């Protein structure tokens, strides 16, 4: 019987364990279950030296009492002459992964928490007595569970038809997050990118660094990519009105933002001044308000919340100057692959042809969370993307009913709690939950 078991072994799991250790929980009370190297996960376990953090070095705040912990570590441990830009240092994600995977060791006084190398297929049991079914056919028991399964890797958003002999990872790259699938690309190929967000920009940066010569087609509903990070600073705190409705919130934000370019430090400073209060405001909205707000503004929020590293946008600008990149507006309906050619049929009737397609459509759905819903241990969050949690990260199994010993942190809490995707937002959840656990409120809730 494990006391505190963390499911998932990525960034969220590592910062959760580091905060538990820092707040005095014994390493022997903590266990982590996941298939990879603790701390790296889907975001920072990449092999590519061309994938960069989209935030400058002072922003991944892991410990609130030591906000420059990563920045100081980076100065001593990273040799990356291309990290420096006018907007700060933007390091490689693999180097950040090295930092995160070392966090637990740096916080451990003697032994480290146990890492069980497996994937959790399902959870059964009840408050304080949970059983976890693992993919190696064994069963684990735990008193308290913290789900930190993060960002499920992308899957094709539409039908893919190809001969059975084709290895899916060769010309049809379903998951480009590690970067290794991009190494086989021939410079002459015409490449289709499905999606126009940060993953597409990672691929663009990689192609430019590898001196790509072929055309790049970006299939996306809008011909717009996230802007580059500017050197923004939070200077003032916005004076948010009381009793906000989604409409009032949008009006206030519109009036607060200057009519400057979204790539300017002035606009980004105002945007970042608005951000710290958004989660509290989001949590006050009803499920219906959350859904309609996300439907209206979700895409815009995703575009500007996630800005890209200046290096990556510079790569895109290089391609644009050479007319080597083109947007193809629409949504993919079907991908066909025959005789070494990829054809994408769009819902608007258009066709896009190329030698290779790379799926840049973002996260898929999490099988473990779906299983929890199926088994009636959890309910959907208001956006229907993750499972619902309350403000103390307790998983809900009915609209007003929560488990005290089954919690979840990380990106999948977004539908309930707001913008919890960036590294620092997740680290803040881990820090606050660890404080609750070490104060005993976690255990006393039994
Ligand atoms: C490609 C990418 C790039 C990003 N870049 C940035 C960035 O530059 N800056 C920034 O601030 N944020 C970035 N993010 C945001 C990211 O959400 C967080 O920083 C963070 O990585 C989330 O950590 P996580 O541990 O919740 O998820 P993940 O990193 O996805 O890790 C989850 C882990 O859980 C494991 N797992 C999943 N299911 C199970 C199961 N059933 N049983 C056991 N283990 C399981 C997975 O194998 C994985 O290792 C990025 C995200 C992605 C996907």
């Amino acid at each position: 019987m494990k006391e505190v078991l963390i499911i998932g072994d990525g960034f969220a799991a590592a910062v959760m364990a580091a905060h538990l250790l820092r707040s005095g929980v014994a390493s022997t009370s903590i266990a982590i279950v996941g298939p990879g190297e603790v701390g790296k996960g889907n975001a920072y376990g990449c092999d590519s030296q061309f994938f960069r953090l989209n935030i400058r070095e002072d922003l991944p705040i892991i410990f609130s009492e030591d906000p420059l912990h990563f920045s100081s570590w980076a100065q001593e441990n990273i040799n990356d002459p291309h990290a420096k830009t006018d907007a700060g240092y933007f390091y490689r994600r693999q180097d950040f992964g090295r930092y995160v995977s070392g966090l637990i060791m740096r916080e451990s006084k003697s032994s480290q928490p146990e890492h069980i190398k497996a994937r959790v297929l399902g959870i059964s049991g009840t408050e304080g007595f949970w059983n976890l079914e693992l993919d190696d056919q064994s069963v684990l028991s735990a008193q308290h569970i913290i789900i930190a399964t993060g960002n499920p890797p992308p899957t094709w958003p539409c039908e893919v038809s190809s001969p059975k002999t084709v290895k899916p990872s060769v010309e049809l790259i379903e998951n480009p997050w590690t970067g290794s699938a991009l190494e086989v690309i021939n410079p002459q190929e015409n490449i289709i990118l499905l999606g126009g967000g940060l993953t597409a920009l990672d691929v663009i940066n990689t192609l430019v660094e590898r001196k790509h010569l072929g055309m790049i087609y970006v299939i996306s509903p809008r011909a717009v990519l996230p802007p580059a990070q500017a050197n923004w600073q939070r200077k003032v705190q916005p004076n948010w009105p009381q009793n906000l409705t989604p409409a009032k919130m949008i009006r206030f934000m519109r009036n607060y933002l200057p009519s400057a370019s979204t790539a300017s430090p002035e606009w980004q400073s105002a945007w970042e001044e608005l951000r710290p209060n958004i989660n509290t405001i989001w949590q006050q909205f009803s499920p219906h308000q959350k859904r309609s707000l996300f439907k209206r503004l979700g895409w815009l929020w995703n575009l500007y919340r996630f800005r890209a590293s200046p290096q990556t946008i510079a790569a895109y600008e290089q391609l644009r100057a050479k007319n080597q990149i083109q947007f193809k507006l629409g949504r993919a309906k079907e991908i066909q692959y025959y005789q070494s050619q990829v054809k994408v049929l769009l819902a608007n009737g258009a066709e896009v042809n190329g030698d290779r397609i790379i799926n840049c459509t973002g996260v898929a759905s999490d099988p473990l969370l779906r299983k929890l819903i199926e088994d009636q241990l959890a309910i959907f969050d208001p956006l229907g993307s993750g499972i619902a949690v309350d403000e103390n990260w307790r998983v809900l199994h009915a609209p007003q009913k929560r488990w005290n010993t089954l919690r979840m942190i990380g990106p999948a809490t977004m539908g309930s709690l707001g913008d919890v995707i960036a590294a620092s937002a997740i680290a803040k959840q881990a820090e606050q939950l660890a404080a609750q656990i070490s104060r005993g409120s976690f255990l006393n809730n039994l």
Side-chain angles (χ1 to χ4, degrees):
M1 175 73 90
K2 311 288 173 197
E3 273 176 73
V4 181
L5 187 94
I6 304 170
I7 305 180
D9 55 1
F11 171 81
V15 291
M16 188 69 242
H19 278 293
L20 286 169
L21 293 167
R22 195 171 264 211
S23 58
V25 175
S27 59
T28 47
S29 304
I30 308 165
I32 296 173
V33 55
E37 191 179 338
V38 177
K40 298 203 166 173
N42 289 304
Y44 311 117
C46 52
D47 308 316
S48 174
Q49 51 173 319
F50 307 124
F51 289 180
R52 289 192 176 269
L53 287 175
N54 65 342
I55 44 173
R56 60 180 192 237
E57 81 287 2
D58 59 331
L59 293 173
I61 298 173
I62 308 300
F63 302 106
S64 58
E65 78 274 14
D66 185 5
L68 297 181
H69 193 265
F70 169 62
S71 182
S72 319
W73 181 91
Q75 276 171 27
E76 286 186 12
N77 295 282
I78 299 180
N79 176 15
D80 180 1
H82 302 296
K84 191 173 178 201
T85 74
D86 291 345
Y89 288 79
F90 290 76
Y91 290 109
R92 299 182 200 107
R93 285 216 295 277
Q94 56 177 218
D95 285 329
F96 187 64
R98 233 173 359 106
Y99 160 77
V100 179
S101 69
L103 279 176
I104 296 181
M105 203 175 69
R106 291 192 286 277
E107 295 303 320
S108 301
K109 291 196 178 67
S110 49
S111 62
Q112 289 189 34
E114 184 184 3
H115 179 201
I116 301 145
K117 284 239 182 193
R119 195 167 270 280
V120 178
L121 301 179
I123 301 175
S124 57
T126 188
E127 201 72 285
F129 301 94
W130 300 107
N131 291 316
L132 290 86
E133 183 198 344
L134 307 189
D135 63 352
D136 61 6
Q137 265 112 50
S138 61
V139 175
L140 270 180
S141 301
Q143 274 178 287
H144 304 93
I145 292 177
I146 301 169
I147 301 170
T149 49
N151 302 293
T155 52
W156 295 113
C158 60
E159 192 194 328
V160 179
S161 45
S162 64
K164 289 207 169 56
T165 46
V166 173
K167 277 199 209 139
S169 60
V170 182
E171 277 86 12
L172 309 174
I173 302 180
E174 187 170 24
N175 173 14
W177 281 355
T178 66
S180 50
L182 308 180
E183 280 163 22
V184 296
I185 296 176
N186 177 324
Q188 318 289 339
E189 288 176 10
N190 293 330
I191 305 288
I192 304 171
L193 305 183
L194 193 54
L198 286 180
T199 300
L201 282 166
D202 278 339
V203 176
I204 286 170
N205 194 35
T206 307
L207 292 173
V208 170
E209 292 282 356
R210 298 181 77 237
K211 314 228 177 314
H212 195 74
L213 300 169
M215 274 302 292
I216 296 159
Y217 302 107
V218 182
I219 300 178
S220 165
R222 298 171 191 89
V224 53
L225 291 170
Q229 290 277 11
N231 195 1
W232 56 265
Q233 304 295 332
R234 287 192 185 106
K235 292 171 202 135
V236 277
Q237 275 202 347
N239 196 4
W240 286 93
Q242 296 291 306
N243 304 322
L244 280 171
T245 59
K248 278 191 195 162
M249 173 183 158
I250 295 171
R251 215 172 306 134
F252 179 77
M253 289 177 75
R254 249 197 214 134
N255 290 337
Y256 193 84
L257 291 166
S259 55
S261 148
T262 54
S264 66
E266 191 193 358
W267 191 92
Q268 292 188 12
S269 298
W271 177 258
E272 290 297 330
E273 284 163 2
L274 289 169
R275 265 180 72 166
N277 297 97
I278 299 274
N279 286 4
T280 325
I281 297 168
W282 174 264
Q283 286 167 36
Q284 287 158 8
F285 291 152
S286 69
H288 172 74
Q289 286 175 317
K290 284 178 182 162
R291 273 192 297 276
S292 60
L293 186 60
F294 195 75
K295 206 167 157 198
R296 265 185 73 191
L297 284 188
W299 72 273
L300 204 65
W301 181 255
N302 283 338
L303 189 68
Y304 294 120
R305 171 188 54 184
F306 295 133
R307 295 179 303 272
S309 68
Q311 294 93 329
T312 308
I313 296 295
Y316 165 67
E317 293 299 343
Q318 270 188 47
L319 291 178
R320 215 162 61 111
K322 290 192 273 180
N323 287 327
Q324 209 188 330
I325 189 158
Q326 247 179 43
F327 276 96
K328 298 283 182 184
L329 299 191
R331 288 181 191 279
K333 197 175 71 177
E334 189 184 339
I335 299 166
Q336 298 176 347
Y337 178 72
Y338 290 105
Q339 294 169 343
S340 306
Q341 277 296 301
V342 178
K343 180 188 284 186
V344 186
L345 307 178
L346 306 189
N348 58 16
E351 264 182 28
V352 187
N353 293 287
D355 300 302
R356 198 181 291 266
I357 181 163
I358 304 172
N359 183 9
C360 306
T361 54
V363 295
S365 84
D366 185 325
L368 180 62
L369 301 189
R370 283 203 312 271
K371 180 89 173 47
L372 291 183
I373 291 173
E374 237 172 77
D375 295 343
Q376 298 181 358
L377 288 175
I379 55 171
F380 277 114
D381 67 23
L383 300 183
S385 51
I387 57 175
V389 295
D390 72 3
E391 65 288 358
N392 289 311
W393 312 281
R394 291 179 291 197
V395 171
L396 303 188
H397 53 96
Q400 300 302 329
K401 293 190 176 161
R402 49 195 50 80
W403 298 112
N404 288 312
T405 52
L406 182 60
R407 313 238 180 168
M408 181 171 76
I409 60 165
T413 61
M414 184 187 95
S416 305
L417 303 179
D419 182 12
V420 197
I421 296 185
S424 50
I426 299 168
K428 196 165 156 194
Q429 288 188 330
E431 186 168 55
Q432 291 170 345
L433 179 53
Q436 278 192 19
I437 294 173
S438 66
R439 280 200 307 269
S441 56
F442 195 68
L443 306 168
N444 294 340
N445 269 330
L446 260 177

